[in-house]
Amino acid sequence: MVDNPVYNKYRLNNELQPIIHQELKIIQKINSKYPYTLRYKPSDRNAYQQELQRAELDTKQLHAKLRIVAADSIH
């Protein structure tokens, strides 16, 4: 897990770990390919959105409160 100076009580929750891992993977891909811009190639943007959709599918399997937390994080 990446060190983060912001405290989040859900960060160590075992049920949220697959979603957190997926989000971090996407962020690392974006930062490595586009470190100084938010203008992505359409093909890359579609790939990132597909990966986020996979995370959303994992979110649907969570309990109500954790589902809300995960959905907010993805969006």
Side-chain angles (χ1 to χ4, degrees), residues 2-74:
V2 176
D3 284 338
N4 189 348
V6 177
Y7 175 77
N8 185 333
K9 69 180 183 178
Y10 297 107
R11 146 179 104 102
L12 299 177
N13 186 301
N14 289 333
E15 292 180 66
L16 293 175
Q17 288 306 309
I19 296 163
I20 292 169
H21 179 70
Q22 186 72 20
E23 289 176 332
L24 289 175
K25 188 170 82 171
I26 295 166
I27 290 168
Q28 289 170 353
K29 282 183 181 180
I30 292 171
N31 287 340
S32 68
K33 197 163 187 178
Y34 299 101
Y36 302 110
T37 185
L38 293 177
R39 295 181 183 176
Y40 314 128
K41 291 181 183 177
S43 60
D44 289 334
R45 180 184 303 269
N46 290 338
Y48 301 144
Q49 288 177 343
Q50 287 175 355
E51 291 183 30
L52 282 174
Q53 287 174 351
R54 278 187 239 136
E56 287 178 353
L57 290 176
D58 291 340
T59 299
K60 291 179 181 179
Q61 298 174 1
L62 297 172
H63 299 293
K65 187 172 183 178
L66 291 179
R67 187 179 312 134
I68 292 169
V69 171
D72 286 345
S73 178
I74 290 171

